[in-house]
């Protein structure tokens, strides 16, 4: 990962018109993506230059300490921020996490590898399937079966993963819109999410906590006409997305709320360990799917949208564009998906078919041992990372050869992003905290693990 | 899936973990001299060099004793070979044909468990031919095996399941209907047979023949009708019958006591020692949800090898049976005692004890042979303090009644107390026995009595009759696990934790100091004897911060140091109890092992 | 019969004023305010592909869920009234009253119909000036009507500020301060933007303004003072603290000044907000939409089509009501479409954009008025 | 006669409470996603008159405990509940709020009823919106049948909490 703003996307104009770095350096960008020049006073404020001056001009004030959260209505993850404010300006903040510490890592160490999947669902509960895939890949790397995964399973993983990514971004954007008062676009986005959830429900049997991915493949094949339905839903979704954009991106008030708020430079973002849409908003085109392709991501054409300023608006725009890119991937995946099995034929790793389990002692034993003892993973350690909804989602697993992880650690992007929240809101107004927080998209389950 | 070699980084963790998960960690280092060990164990002196031969095992040179069992050589060198009928404690009939390996030069595969090794032998255990045969044998074994795992008690600790998963995991090619046999055949007072599940390994027959010495089981009929059975009109009723359940690799033989009570994979295992008699068989306490569900023998070649008696297995029932769960004070002389907190009872006892000692009264201290060494050591320390304060101390060793009629030469001892040796050591040379105690009480020689353990070798009725004797005492402190008529007359009744609820050690009849581990939490307010003695001593200003008051481990260390300090050099543990302590070791602290992840016990 | 009653009312103006007040407040404003809570919920639901509340049925009577507001009201009245410890009890109790009273009082100056000619209700009246006795359909007619309105409206600031201050809560204090600064800033703009209209119509008296606009739609304020209409409407929404200017109460984000209020006290704040909405619509209708005027309808009827006086008056009252309903609906649309401002942006909008524009509006209007009047 | 009038009044009051449930969503975890879905277009909790999310506990009637309650969160939840005005209702949304769910560990409170009394438990991990609506209807039924005279419960609860040694005690559910 480097700090260069070299684009991997080529010079293709993206649908939403995210400016590529070349275009930024070149100057004029046509279309709605043309960022208006930030007013100089705002720019000064971004660099916190203005703060000292303000003290000189205005009456001397005494800073006030005020507590925000952990049940603050808009902090949809549970977080507590202790603010030191001067009027409306945040002078200092102490961000405290840990209100949703559900001991994922310890629970994982007490469960078999297969039993960990439901826990991963509840890490980033906005895009559970991406976590499923991430964890499955980690265990598969340890088992050494990554190359033998059935192709169809890999495609299905990509499809469900990208659908999950869309729902993740929709929820993040919708919630952020709601928090700044735009309730209507929020409900529209949730409506789209609902359509996608219904699709996933048809496939996985659950609306939100799917536990659909298995080590060695996925639980079951796509239902009939899934691809057609997916296409139809995506078509509808694009329309609604356009409507939402017209209410948000083209709305002057929304732009004013987002432009230049919560700015972070690419260097700082990298230093803080940021990844995902938040890092890309600063102009660094790092995307695990592109830089370290896994599954079949190297077979798709898609662009990595990047921002230029690293402010809240960039985070909105990057997410909006990523939704479209995910749709592009989905479109290609639907075209390319081959026929075949969806689960590896390896009885020590994958479950035998249910019919055989009920009728033959061999499959019964296999099933029994996989359930009770778990999949025996050879001793070793692995760090496997994928592009989650919020960024690089890494699983570090140590195996001792038994059926459960000896140690399982999650590199949770939310946790890492939240570290920088204090810096982002320094000097901003109280009203800026919530959108900034919302667009960092801190998800409690993932952050506190 | 090929077995990948453990990465270097991993080895330390894996090693550490393997150690914690090992089902049979030796509880205490064996005494230096091996003469205490039962005859038949491995000779202690190294064999002469001429006996050592070198064989090629999977291309690797391995040295072993000439004529040793090939299967044992494989297993001890980390080469995994599947087997059913072989058991280290039994003879090898080579009936299951599961351990077939390739010996270069021999046209046919040979059963490893029946093959002595010879010099320059070349053995291959993982060639496609061997693996194929192994798979075919498993397929053959499973042809008539019922689809029973969900309702089978062995599921989760079944050797057949393990071997199938490790070596076969291929579907059956047979489509003929399975042969049906009796599903629930009563073999004896403790055992039920499911003949369909039986894989005819004959381990159980050999256990009866070779361990219990009673030929009660045999195979009848031939071919796919072959079936385990008892002789007509007979029962599988030898005192070691439940060992057949342990050795059974499948769920054919099940214990009536344990079956359908708890699934094996939900159990946790804590290693401990059987409190049933002075032999001190090493056991695993299998517990879950705060309750003990069964005891199974744990390998210790010096004491019990792989076995234990049926009576010993049921000692776990006493842990929950008739327990005293809360402290009571103010009883005696026909007065009912009042339930109170431990702290109040301890304070009450300490105050009376202090008064009695300062007044120069005679105090009887009872060292129960059912109590751990640490508690008894603590009591002996308190006895010294009491005598320096002016009290006259008389010590007694008691315990439950002996049962010479049940003793045998295999494992069962006439002495039903697990710690008689320890109790005698700490009570001192002048200690009386239970009858001395009763006569002293009758003669009114004692002003106070403090019992660490409420057992007396009397029948229920005799105890009831003897109980009024204590009414003349000024102070009667009784720490007891179980309720009894004697306890009811004590002025201070303290609930003590049972053997499975404490950390500590017992000294067996061969003077081996063996470690007990806490498996379940004490019932009610119960505390260990050691803790109760420590608290009373503290309240009575007899001891403030002695090492033995800190923890059971500290008590153990102090005890070993104190006992072995007065020991002459080169003492033989077989002759002196103290020498047994000198070589005792507390061992590591283990978390209870969940059987589910401890792999099959088989 | 009717005539004699009307005559009695014309002679006893105090009784008439009381009756009109009751009629206006209890018969129109309160029901409309309550209804608008329902309308808001149904309107937002419609915009968001939802159904909105439709359940509160009494037996089979469903009424599209209108009864939900009845349920709300009853529930709030019987809800526990929590007074947090350490609050200033007097100010805490005073604040909701201060919030609602000024808006209710200011309705007094709003004319909801033309003068009623007593004695000629059934005949055609060509010139109202010829009437012997009239009952103004306006609670209080005073020459400083609009000034009275501004004076009272600025009192409402105290409601919010006191609520924020008395609650003994840092968040509500901040909310209260935000609210007072917002309301005070936008009052300036409101007043200045109306100044142009006063210049055009030459009066501060609402009924005079309405009369001056006449039934010719092109003479209405929205056409003579278009900029002022936009400015006033914007500023007035800010004054009523409705979205996109709802920062003082901006629930999911900033936490408002009445955060510590519960039960009916909260209900009063809630209701006050909706009454303010209606009042704002009334003022906009009065100044910019011709008040009770109906296009083309004179006191004698539509041109040559003569109508009885009572019918004309009724038509005009209905028109006034419809205008208010429409303006309320417009506010709901805005409410559910736009996101919320940030405090500093709000202030910037008020002082740096709306205020200069309204000053420009005054200057231009004054110049035009001066030019039209020939410099006299 | 008087009795029938008071009965009528009770009915009216319960009817009002039933259809005017201002909710306080105490959203902590995954169930929040389904809470959003329940509030959104397709399921539309507003139909039951329960859509007004009041983010001030003082103004809310119904506390939706949405998601896992941890040891760190429990005191906050209790405080929120204390701040609410009577009559107040609590719905445990999902198994985590009801029993702690499959998080059986040192930091997860096994159900929010360890801290506050709960009226309706909605199972599911997370519950489907239909289940949530069903739970809401159950609550409405409960309100309709309940007595209208509700006393403030805090003092009693506080005394109970003070008595228990660990500061937490299963609290009695007051109908």
């Amino acid at each position: 990962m480097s700090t260069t703003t070299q684009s991997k996307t080529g010079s293709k104009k993206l649908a939403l018109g995210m400016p590529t770095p070349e275009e930024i350096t070149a100057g004029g960008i046509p279309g709605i993506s043309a960022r208006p020049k930030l007013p100089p006073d705002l720019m000064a404020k971004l660099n916190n230059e203005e703060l000292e001056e303000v003290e000189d001009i205005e009456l001397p004030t005494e800073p006030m300490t005020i507590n925000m959260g952990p049940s603050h209505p808009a902090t949809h993850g549970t977080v507590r921020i202790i603010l030191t404010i001067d009027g409306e300006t945040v002078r200092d903040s102490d961000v405290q996490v840990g209100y949703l510490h559900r001991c994922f890592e310890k629970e994982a160490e007490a469960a078999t590898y297969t039993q960990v999947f439901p826990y991963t669902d509840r890490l980033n509960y906005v895009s559970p399937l991406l976590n499923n895939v991430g964890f499955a890949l980690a265990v598969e790397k340890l088992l050494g079966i990554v190359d033998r995964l059935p192709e169809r399973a890999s495609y299905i993983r990509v499809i469900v993963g990208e659908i999950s990514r869309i729902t993740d971004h929709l929820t993040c954007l919708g919630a952020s819109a709601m928090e700044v008062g735009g309730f209507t676009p929020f409900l529209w986005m949730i409506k789209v999410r609902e359509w996608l959830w219904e699709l996933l429900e048809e496939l996985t049997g659950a609306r939100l906590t799917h536990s659909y991915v298995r080590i060695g493949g996925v639980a079951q094949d796509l239902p009939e006409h899934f691809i057609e339905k997916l296409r139809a839903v995506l078509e509808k979704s694009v329309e609604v997305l356009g409507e939402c954009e017209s209410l948000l991106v083209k709305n002057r008030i929304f732009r004013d709320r987002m432009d230049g708020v919560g700015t972070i430079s690419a260097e700082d973002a990298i230093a803080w360990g940021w990844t995902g849409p938040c890092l890309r908003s600063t102009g660094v085109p790092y995307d695990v799917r592109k830089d370290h392709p896994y599954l079949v991501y190297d077979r798709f054409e898609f662009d990595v949208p990047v921002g230029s300023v690293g402010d809240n608006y960039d985070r909105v725009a990057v997410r909006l564009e990523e939704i479209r890119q995910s749709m592009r991937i989905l479109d290609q995946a639907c075209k390319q998906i081959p026929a075949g099995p969806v689960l590896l034929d390896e009885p020590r790793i994958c479950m035998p078919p249910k019919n055989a389990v009920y009728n033959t002692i061999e499959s019964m034993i296999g099933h029994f041992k996989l359930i009770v003892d778990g999949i025996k993973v050879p001793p070793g350690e692995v760090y496997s990372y994928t592009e989650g909804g919020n960024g690089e989602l890494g699983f570090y697993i140590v195996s001792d050869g038994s059926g459960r992880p000896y140690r399982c650690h999650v590199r949770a992007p939310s946790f890492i992003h939240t570290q920088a929240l204090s810096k982002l809101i320094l000097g901003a107004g109280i009203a800026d905290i919530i959108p900034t927080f919302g667009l960092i998209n801190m998800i409690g389950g993932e952050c506190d693990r | 899936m090929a077995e990948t070699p453990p990465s270097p980084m991993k080895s330390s963790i894996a090693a550490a973990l393997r150690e914690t998960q090992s089902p049979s960690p030796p509880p205490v280092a064996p005494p230096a001299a091996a003469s205490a060990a039962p005859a038949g164990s491995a000779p202690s002196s190294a064999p002469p060099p001429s006996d050592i031969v070198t064989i090629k095992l999977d291309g690797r040179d391995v040295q072993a004793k000439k004529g040793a069992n090939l299967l044992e050589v494989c297993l001890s060198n980390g080469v995994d070979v599947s087997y059913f009928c072989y058991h280290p404690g039994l003879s090898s009939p080579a009936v299951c044909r599961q351990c077939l390996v390739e010996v270069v030069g021999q046209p046919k595969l040979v059963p490893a468990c029946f093959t002595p090794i010879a010099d320059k032998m070349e053995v291959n255990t993982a060639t496609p031919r061997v693996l194929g045969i192994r798979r075919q044998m498993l397929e053959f074994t499973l042809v008539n095996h019922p689809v029973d795992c969900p309702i089978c008690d062995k599921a989760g600790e079944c050797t057949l399941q393990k071997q199938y998963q490790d070596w076969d995991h291929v579907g059956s090619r047979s489509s003929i209907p399975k042969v049906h046999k009796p599903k629930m055949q009563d073999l004896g007072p403790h055992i039920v047979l499911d003949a369909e599940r039986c894989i005819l390994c004959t381990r159980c027959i050999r256990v009866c023949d070779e361990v219990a010495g009673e030929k009660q089981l045999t195979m009848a009929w031939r071919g796919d009708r072959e079936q385990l059975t008892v002789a007509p009109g007979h029962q599988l009723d030898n005192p070691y019958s439940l060992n057949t359940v342990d050795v059974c690799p499948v769920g054919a033989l099940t214990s009536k006591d344990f079956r359908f009570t708890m699934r094996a994979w939900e159990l946790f295992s804590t290693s401990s020692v059987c409190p049933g008699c002075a032999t001190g068989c090493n056991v695993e306490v299998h517990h879950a949800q705060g309750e003990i569900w069964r005891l199974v023998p744990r390998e210790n070649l010096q004491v019990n090898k792989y076995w234990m008696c049926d009576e010993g297995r049921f000692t776990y029932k006493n842990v929950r049976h008739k327990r005293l769960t809360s402290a009571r004070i103010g009883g005696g002389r026909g007065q009912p005692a009042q339930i109170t907190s431990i702290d109040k009872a301890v304070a009450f006892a300490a105050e009376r004890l202090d008064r009695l000692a300062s007044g120069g009264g005679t105090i009887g201290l009872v060292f129960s042979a059912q109590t751990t060494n640490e508690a008894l050591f603590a009591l002996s320390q308190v006895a010294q303090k009491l005598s320096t304060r002016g009290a006259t101390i008389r010590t007694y060793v008691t315990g439950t009644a002996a049962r010479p009629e049940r003793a045998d030469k295999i494992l069962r001892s006439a002495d039903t107390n697990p710690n008689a040796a320890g109790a005698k050591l700490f009570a001192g040379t002048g200690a009386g026995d239970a009858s001395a105690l009763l006569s002293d009480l009758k003669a009114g020689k004692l002003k106070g009595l403090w019992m660490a353990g409420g057992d007396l070798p009397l029948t229920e009725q005799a105890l009831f009759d003897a109980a009024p004797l204590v009414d003349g005492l000024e102070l009667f402190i009784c720490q007891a696990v179980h309720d009894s008529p004697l306890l009811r007359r004590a002025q201070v009744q303290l609930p003590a934790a049972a053997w499975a609820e404490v950390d500590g050690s017992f000294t067996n009849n061969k003077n081996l100091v063996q470690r007990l581990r806490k498996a379940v939490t004490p019932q009610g307010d119960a505390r260990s004897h050691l803790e109760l003695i420590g608290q009373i001593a503290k309240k009575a200003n007899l001891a403030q911060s002695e090492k033995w008051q800190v923890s059971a481990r500290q008590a153990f260390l102090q005890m070993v140091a104190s006992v072995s300090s007065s020991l002459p050099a080169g003492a033989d543990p077989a002759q002196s109890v103290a020498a047994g302590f000198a070589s005792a070791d507390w061992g590591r602290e283990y978390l209870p092992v969940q059987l589910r992840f401890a792999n099959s016990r088989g | 019969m009717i005539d004699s009653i009307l005559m009695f009312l014309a002679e006893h103006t105090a009784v008439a004023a009381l009756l009109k007040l009751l009629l206006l407040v209890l018969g129109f404003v309160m029901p409309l305010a309550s209804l608008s809570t329902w309308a808001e919920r149904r309107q937002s639901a419609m915009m968001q592909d939802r159904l909105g509340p439709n359940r509160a049925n009494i037996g089979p009577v469903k009424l599209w869920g209108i009864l939900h507001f009845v349920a709300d009201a009853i529930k709030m009245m019987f809800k526990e009234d929590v007074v947090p410890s350490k609050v200033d009890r007097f100010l805490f109790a005073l604040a909701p009253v201060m919030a609602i009273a000024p808006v209710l009082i200011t309705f007094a100056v709003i004319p909801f119909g033309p003068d009623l000619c007593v004695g000629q209700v059934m005949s055609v009246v060509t010139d109202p000036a010829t009437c012997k006795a009239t009952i103004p359909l306006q609670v209080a007619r005073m020459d400083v009507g609009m000034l009275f309105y501004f004076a009272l409206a600025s009192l409402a600031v105290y409601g919010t500020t006191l609520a924020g201050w008395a609650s003994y809560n840092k968040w509500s204090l901040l909310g209260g301060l935000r609210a007072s600064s917002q309301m005070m800033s936008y009052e300036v703009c409101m007043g200045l933007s109306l100044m142009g209209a006063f210049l055009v119509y030459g009066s501060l008296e609402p009924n005079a303004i309405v009369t001056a606009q006449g039934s010719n739609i092109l003479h209405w304020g929205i056409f003579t003072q278009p900029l002022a209409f936009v400015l006033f409407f914007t500023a007035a929404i800010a004054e009523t603290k409705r979205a996109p200017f709802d920062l003082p109460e901006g629930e999911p984000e900033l936490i408002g000044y009445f955060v510590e209020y519960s039960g009916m006290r909260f209900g009063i704040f809630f209701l006050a907000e909706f009454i303010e909405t209606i009042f704002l619509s009334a003022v906009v209708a009065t100044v910019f939409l011709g008040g009770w005027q109906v296009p083309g309808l004179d006191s004698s009827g539509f041109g040559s089509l003569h109508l009885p006086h009572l019918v004309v008056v009724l038509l005009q009252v209905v028109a006034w009501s419809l205008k208010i309903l429409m303006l309320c609906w417009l506010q709901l649309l805005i409410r559910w479409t736009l996101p919320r401002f940030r405090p500093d942006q709000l202030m910037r909008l008020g002082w740096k954009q709306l205020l200069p524009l309204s000053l420009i509006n005054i200057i231009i209007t004054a110049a035009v008025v001066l030019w039209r009047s020939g410099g006299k | 006669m008087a009795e029938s009038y008071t009965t009528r009044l009770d009915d009216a009051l319960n009817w009002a409470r039933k259809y005017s449930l201002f909710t306080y969503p105490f959203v902590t975890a995954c169930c929040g996603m389904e809470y959003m879905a329940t509030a959104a277009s397709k399921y539309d909790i507003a139909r039951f008159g329960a859509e007004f999310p009041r983010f001030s506990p003082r103004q809310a009637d119904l506390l939706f405990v949405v998601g896992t309650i941890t040891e760190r969160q429990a005191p906050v939840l209790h405080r929120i509940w204390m701040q609410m005005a009577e009559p107040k209702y609590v719905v445990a949304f999902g198994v985590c709020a009801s029993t702690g769910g499959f998080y059986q560990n040192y930091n997860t409170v096994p159900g929010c009823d360890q801290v506050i009394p709960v009226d309706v438990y909605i199972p599911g991990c997370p519950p489907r919106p239909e289940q949530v609506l069903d739970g809401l209807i159950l609550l409405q039924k409960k309100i309709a049948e309940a007595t209208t005279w509700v006393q403030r419960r805090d003092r009693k609860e506080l005394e109970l909490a003070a008595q228990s040694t660990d500061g937490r005690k299963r609290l009695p559910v007051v109908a």
Side-chain angles (χ1 to χ4, degrees), chain B residues 102-334:
Chain B
E102 196 176 58
V103 174
V104 176
Q106 305 246 19
K108 286 170 74 176
L109 299 185
V110 299
C113 72
F114 207 61
T115 309
I117 59 166
D119 202 14
K120 305 215 170 44
M121 203 179 197
E122 266 187 60
V123 183
N124 292 319
T125 66
T127 58
R129 185 178 169 211
V130 175
L131 294 177
I133 293 284
R134 207 172 274 169
R135 187 171 293 166
Q136 283 169 26
M137 285 313 301
L138 278 164
E139 188 182 358
F140 187 53
T141 306
L142 285 167
V143 160
N144 280 325
H145 200 87
V147 190
D148 261 5
C149 297
I151 54 156
C152 177
D153 259 324
K154 204 76 175 183
E157 53 174 4
C158 172
T159 314
L160 180 58
Q161 282 185 333
K162 177 174 158 43
Q163 304 292 15
Y164 171 78
Q165 188 70 2
D166 286 355
W167 297 109
D168 186 2
H169 62 78
V170 175
S172 173
R173 287 170 291 177
S174 156
S175 57
I176 52 168
K178 298 198 180 220
V179 174
H180 290 292
K181 294 179 191 172
K183 285 293 279 182
M184 207 176 73
Q185 203 172 14
D186 195 353
L187 288 191
H190 302 311
I191 311 274
V192 174
L193 168 69
D194 184 326
E196 277 189 346
R197 295 178 190 157
C198 180
I199 59 164
L200 310 173
C201 70
T202 70
R203 271 181 176 187
C204 47
I205 300 175
R206 280 173 284 143
V207 164
C208 291
D209 293 356
E210 297 168 20
V211 178
E214 294 189 37
K215 294 182 187 291
Q216 288 179 326
L217 286 173
T218 187
M219 286 293 170
W221 296 288
R222 283 290 176 268
D224 63 2
R225 307 278 155 188
E226 186 171 350
Q227 189 190 320
L228 182 70
T229 183
V230 285
H234 287 73
Q235 278 196 316
L236 176 58
D237 58 356
N238 70 62
Y240 295 89
S241 65
L242 280 168
N243 287 312
T244 59
V245 176
D246 289 331
V247 298
C248 183
V250 288
L253 295 170
T254 45
S255 155
K256 282 182 187 171
D257 180 54
F258 177 69
R259 60 191 262 147
F260 307 140
T261 55
M262 201 60 181
R263 300 311 315 237
W265 61 86
E266 293 189 352
L267 290 172
F268 289 82
S269 164
T270 301
S271 44
S272 192
V273 174
C274 170
C277 72
T279 307
C281 293
N282 289 211
V283 296
E284 278 178 30
V285 180
H286 285 177
H287 56 96
Q289 301 160 4
E291 295 233 22
I292 302 175
W293 297 93
R294 66 175 177 187
L295 301 184
V296 295
R298 180 162 56 94
E299 178 187 330
N300 188 339
L301 294 178
Q302 290 173 349
V303 182
N304 58 325
K305 295 200 252 185
Y306 309 92
W307 323 112
M308 72 184 289
C309 70
D310 292 359
E311 270 171 85
R313 286 178 197 260
F314 299 133
T315 49
Y316 78 87
K317 298 196 172 187
N318 283 335
V319 174
R320 292 274 143 172
H321 178 63
K322 266 183 82 180
R323 284 296 292 273
L324 173 66
T325 52
S326 52
R328 292 187 288 233
I329 53 173
R333 297 194 182 88

Side-chain angles (χ1 to χ4, degrees), chain C residues 61 114 131 136 139 144-145 176 210 223 226 228 254 271 320 341 345:
Chain C
V61 185
C131 288
V139 179
V144 291
V210 174
F223 293 108
L254 288 168
L271 196 63
W320 177 78
F341 278 99
Q345 290 166 346

Side-chain angles (χ1 to χ4, degrees), chain B residues 391-453:
Chain B
T392 314
I393 300 295
R394 280 165 185 262
T395 56
Y396 307 92
V397 173
T398 65
T400 50
R403 34 149 218 206
E405 79 289 352
R406 308 277 275 282
D408 60 27
K409 289 208 162 56
I410 305 167
L411 287 175
R412 295 193 294 175
S413 160
D415 185 357
T416 53
N417 295 303
N419 200 19
K424 278 185 195 124
L425 176 72
F426 292 113
T429 44
D433 60 2
S435 58
L437 170 65
L438 290 178
S439 62
D440 281 358
L441 281 173
K442 218 172 270 173
K445 285 185 187 161
L446 299 176
K447 279 199 162 176
L449 182 62
W450 183 358
M451 294 182 81

Side-chain angles (χ1 to χ4, degrees), chain C residues 224-239:
Chain C
T224 55
Q225 287 283 307
L227 182 60
F229 170 72
V230 174
L231 290 175
F232 179 78
F233 198 55
T234 313
I237 292 177
E239 172 78 9

Side-chain angles (χ1 to χ4, degrees), chain C residues 302-370:
Chain C
F302 289 104
S304 56
L305 175 68
H306 290 286
L307 294 170
H309 183 58
L310 193 60
V311 176
V312 171
V313 170
L314 277 179
L315 271 177
Q316 284 169 329
V317 171
V318 168
W320 177 78
S321 308
L322 284 179
K323 284 173 191 171
I324 287 177
L325 279 179
M326 193 206 65
L327 285 167
C328 286
W329 171 76
L330 187 62
Q331 290 183 60
L332 290 187
L333 273 191
I334 295 171
R335 160 93 179 76
W336 289 104
T337 307
L338 295 179
R340 188 180 304 124
F341 278 99
R342 201 170 60 198
D344 58 324
Q345 290 166 346
L346 184 87
M347 289 296 134
R348 199 176 299 127
L349 180 74
W351 289 105
K352 291 189 179 173
Q353 285 159 3
L354 296 191
L355 185 65
L357 278 175
S358 46
L359 286 173
I360 291 170
N361 185 49
I362 293 173
I363 292 166
I364 294 174
T365 311
V368 172
V369 167
L370 194 66

Side-chain angles (χ1 to χ4, degrees), chain B residues 341-353 535-536 539-540:
Chain B
S341 72
I342 293 270
D343 289 345
K344 278 188 187 153
V346 162
F348 180 82
E351 191 243 337
R352 294 293 189 86
L353 191 68
Q535 285 190 3
I536 292 175
K539 279 275 181 207

Side-chain angles (χ1 to χ4, degrees), chain A residues 65 74 88 180 184 191 257, chain C residues 49 170 178 252-253 336 340:
Chain A
T65 304
E88 286 276 342
V180 298
T184 305
K191 180 174 71 180
R257 288 299 303 271
Chain C
D49 296 346
K170 286 177 179 175
R178 247 181 239 124
E253 188 182 18
W336 289 104
R340 188 180 304 124

